Amino acid sequence: MSAPARPVPAPAPSPPVARSRHLALGVIATGLLMTVLDGSIVTVAMPAIQNDLGFTPGGLSWVVNAYLIAFGGLLLLSGRLGDLIGRKRMFLAGTAVFTAASVLAGAAGTPALLIAARFLQGAGSAMASAVGLGILVTLFTESRERARAIAVFSFTGAAGASIGQVLGGILTDALGWHWIFFINLPIGLAALLVAVRVLPGDRGPGLTAGADAVGALLVTAGVMVGIYSVVEVESYGWVSPHTLGLGALAVALLAAFFVRQATAATPLLPLRILRSRSVAGANLVQILMVAALFSFQILVALYLQRVLGYGATATGLAMLPAAAVIGAVSLGISARLSTRFGDRSVLLAGLVLLIGVLGLLTRLPVHAHYATDLLPVMFLAAGFGLALPALTTLGMSGAGEEDAGLASGLFNTTQQIGMAMGVAVLSTLAASRTDALLADGSSRAEALTGGYHLAFAVGAGLLTAAFLVALVVLGRPDRHTATAATAAPTSPAPSA
């Protein structure tokens, strides 16, 4: 009697397929890295740019603001267009625009030309970044693989700021500020050559399936006006006619956009995506978290330079331990912890650590010692390596494949809104507190430190609010998620 036939296991993906997917992940991460590096590199090189091109102090801020407005304003539109015409096409076009604009920025000889090039860089970044997560979640469908891929993506964004500060200082000191932009040329060309070969082709249903031109105009104008009004708060004040008028206009435009989406036959933002608790809750948590962490990424660097007297390169090196622990956690253990304990639990643990980071920073002395006062804070930044991958997974988990680009664009848009909030609110509070302490007779170092203390305390409050939102809004799974999980426990994240 012959032995019963043994079941034949399903064949594993062939090495070329696995290699292609990981090359695609590398291309997407490279695109994100260029975007993040560009922001942090520019901040270090600002004094050199001002001296060389003759920027006024007010005009210099537009080197950052022009990029921020274009990037934040075009993300949602770019994400939806990627779903309609193909996410690969949108990624390639965005990378090409960003790379060409970088060359234009490096060659700029006048303030106006540099600001125009920065706006184009922001547009290219929006086009590529908006669809990056959408491509990633369609490539990696198995939950554990997806968690690892999102961890790589999140680490790239989290660590890029610290790396950019070091690289910006080195390039500016050694070669001049022009090279902080020229360096994007070889990186961008290499990313394009690899992306053409390894990114999956997707045609999309075409513009006629969802080209809501009116909605696109409303949301793009609303987000751009809103970001502009926020980034200019430091110049005009919170209750000035300029801020209140533009703020009211932004609210009106966005309200009209949502009314339009509820009635349009082919909406730019199908409101069904916001019915997912995971999508809506994760995006709200992200706004609060990113706004708070501006105080860590930027204000700590300013404290090191303006209070402790560090140079640009030394400041970047001082921030590197944070990048190292974020990388170790996000790449090494965050995916395993999420698989074992769930994304919500890992997110909450990460937020607790980040609250501790800003809590410790409120106690920084004027004459701090790096090893005892700052290095422990850098290690606690590991919380970012826990929180961001888990939050990214939650933010994408409620979107189906047909809305992956949209969900990616929405997630990136709320990130930019949070960043703009952090820039405006925390920097304005720090500056106001500093001015008040100077008027009371404090030394400049004491006044600056007091201003930063207030910003860190407000940031800790924002993180506490993010923790509460995550605890309540993400406290139980969506009904459709729970049903799908019961029916097929090993299936990838279900569609909305």
Side-chain angles (χ1 to χ4, degrees):
M1 184 174 179
S2 61
R6 305 175 77 176
V8 178
S14 64
V17 172
R19 188 181 306 116
S20 177
R21 285 193 304 156
H22 287 95
L23 282 173
L25 173 60
V27 168
I28 296 169
T30 299
L32 175 64
L33 183 62
M34 283 197 301
T35 298
V36 175
L37 283 178
D38 191 74
S40 55
I41 280 178
V42 168
T43 59
V44 173
M46 294 278 270
I49 293 173
Q50 183 177 16
N51 292 335
D52 193 20
L53 296 186
F55 271 98
T56 64
L60 185 64
S61 65
W62 280 96
V63 176
V64 174
N65 293 346
Y67 180 92
L68 187 64
I69 290 170
F71 187 43
L74 294 172
L75 276 166
L76 191 59
L77 174 61
S78 297
R80 191 55 180 169
L81 288 177
D83 288 334
L84 296 175
I85 66 173
R87 288 184 281 273
K88 179 178 180 177
R89 291 180 182 177
M90 182 60 70
F91 183 88
L92 292 173
T95 303
V97 170
F98 178 84
T99 303
S102 296
V103 175
L104 183 62
T110 65
L113 184 56
L114 180 58
I115 290 172
R118 290 288 289 161
F119 189 91
L120 287 176
Q121 276 190 306
S125 290
M127 295 164 66
S129 300
V131 296
L133 273 175
I135 296 173
L136 187 151
V137 298
T138 55
L139 276 174
F140 297 89
T141 55
E142 195 273 324
S143 59
R144 185 172 297 182
E145 281 190 331
R146 178 180 290 182
R148 292 196 186 104
I150 287 178
V152 172
F153 185 86
S154 301
F155 162 72
T156 303
S162 296
I163 297 170
Q165 289 172 333
V166 177
L167 187 60
I170 293 172
L171 287 174
T172 302
D173 291 341
L175 299 174
W177 66 265
H178 304 275
W179 284 91
I180 68 173
F181 299 114
F182 286 147
I183 195 173
N184 290 325
L185 178 60
I187 298 173
L189 291 177
L192 284 170
L193 289 174
V194 178
V196 169
R197 295 176 60 87
V198 302
L199 291 186
D202 57 325
R203 292 181 178 274
L207 292 176
T208 55
D212 179 14
V214 175
L217 179 62
L218 288 171
V219 71
T220 302
V223 173
M224 283 188 172
V225 171
I227 293 176
Y228 171 73
S229 65
V230 171
V231 299
E232 288 288 274
V233 161
E234 193 169 352
S235 300
Y236 291 92
W238 284 103
V239 295
S240 68
H242 181 277
T243 300
L244 294 178
L246 288 178
L249 176 60
V251 170
L253 288 169
L254 292 175
F257 166 72
F258 281 105
V259 171
R260 169 74 182 180
Q261 299 316 287
T263 58
T266 55
L268 178 68
L269 175 64
L271 297 183
R272 65 178 181 271
I273 197 171
L274 298 179
R275 299 191 188 107
S276 167
R277 290 169 64 92
S278 60
V279 172
N283 278 278
L284 179 56
V285 169
Q286 177 168 235
I287 291 175
L288 295 167
M289 186 176 80
V290 172
L293 291 176
F294 163 79
S295 63
F296 174 76
Q297 293 179 331
I298 304 299
L299 295 186
V300 169
L302 290 176
Y303 168 82
L304 289 169
Q305 294 184 61
R306 300 173 69 184
V307 177
L308 300 186
Y310 283 38
T313 302
T315 298
L317 292 172
M319 300 288 286
L320 271 183
V325 296
I326 291 170
V329 171
S330 61
L331 298 178
I333 65 173
S334 65
R336 283 179 285 177
L337 290 176
S338 290
T339 300
R340 182 171 181 180
F341 299 106
D343 293 307
R344 173 178 172 268
S345 297
V346 174
L347 170 61
L348 292 173
L351 288 171
V352 168
L353 289 177
L354 293 174
I355 292 170
V357 166
L358 296 189
L360 287 176
L361 288 175
T362 62
R363 303 171 60 86
L364 278 179
V366 174
H367 303 291
H369 294 90
Y370 181 80
T372 56
D373 295 313
L374 286 161
L375 191 58
V377 172
M378 300 298 168
F379 288 141
L380 280 180
F384 200 75
L386 293 176
L388 189 56
L391 185 61
T392 304
T393 302
L394 290 166
M396 295 296 295
S397 64
E401 183 173 348
E402 71 279 6
D403 290 328
L406 173 62
S408 174
L410 177 63
F411 196 75
N412 281 289
T413 300
T414 57
Q415 187 177 86
Q416 295 306 304
I417 292 172
M419 185 184 299
M421 282 179 52
V423 169
V425 175
L426 299 180
S427 63
T428 301
L429 289 174
S432 299
R433 177 62 174 162
T434 297
D435 291 342
L437 291 173
L438 285 171
D440 289 340
S442 298
S443 69
R444 181 167 179 79
E446 291 171 339
L448 286 168
T449 303
Y452 297 144
H453 283 173
L454 177 60
F456 295 144
V458 173
L462 292 173
L463 285 173
T464 302
F467 179 90
L468 294 175
V469 171
L471 188 66
V472 175
V473 178
L474 303 177
R476 55 189 174 85
D478 296 331
R479 185 180 304 169
H480 69 274
T481 303
T483 302
T486 303
T490 59
S491 64
S495 300

